[in-house]
C-alpha cells in the first residue's frame, strides 16, 4: 500500500532476489519514461523503495504521482 508522508507517496517492494528487484525497476523505468514522470528510488539487494512527488508543482503529491503509482502496482 502506498503511504503519503512528507509530501511524497512512498512504497517498499520486496522480491525474492536482486535479479527480480532489478527487473521490476527496469519495467518501472519504461513506464515512468513513457509518462515523463520519474521516481526517486533506491535498491538494496531484493528491496526497492520508491518515493513519488511532482517537482514541477513544488515537490508535492499530485494526480501524476497517483497515476504513476497505479501503473507501478500493475507491474507486480
Amino acid at each position: 500500500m502506498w503511504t503519503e508522508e512528507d509530501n511524497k507517496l512512498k512504497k517498499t517492494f520486496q522480491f525474492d532476489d536482486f535479479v527480480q528487484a532489478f527487473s521490476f525497476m527496469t519495467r518501472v523505468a519504461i513506464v515512468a519514461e513513457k509518462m515523463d514522470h520519474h521516481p526517486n528510488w533506491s535498491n538494496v539487494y531484493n528491496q526497492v523503495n520508491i518515493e513519488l512527488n511532482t517537482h514541477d508543482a513544488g515537490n508535492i503529491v499530485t494526480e501524476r504521482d497517483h497515476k504513476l503509482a497505479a501503473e507501478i502496482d500493475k507491474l507486480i
Side-chain angles (χ1 to χ4, degrees):
M1 168 169 271
W2 291 89
T3 60
E4 188 171 340
E5 66 178 79
D6 301 323
N7 290 318
K8 298 172 187 161
L9 279 182
K10 299 179 178 184
K11 188 170 182 178
T12 297
F13 297 86
Q14 189 136 349
F15 300 92
D16 290 337
D17 57 32
F18 176 74
V19 172
Q20 287 183 6
F22 196 85
S23 175
F24 169 73
M25 291 178 73
T26 301
R27 293 190 310 273
V28 170
I30 292 167
V31 169
E33 184 65 18
K34 287 179 182 176
M35 295 178 73
D36 192 30
H37 194 52
H38 306 96
N40 294 316
W41 58 8
S42 65
N43 164 242
V44 176
Y45 181 57
N46 67 337
Q47 192 171 49
V48 177
N49 297 300
I50 300 179
E51 295 181 346
L52 303 174
N53 64 10
T54 302
H55 308 292
D56 295 346
N59 293 317
I60 61 170
V61 176
T62 68
E63 185 60 29
R64 289 184 77 199
D65 303 300
H66 287 283
K67 286 180 181 178
L68 180 53
E71 291 301 314
I72 290 171
D73 281 344
K74 291 178 186 176
L75 300 174
I76 297 299

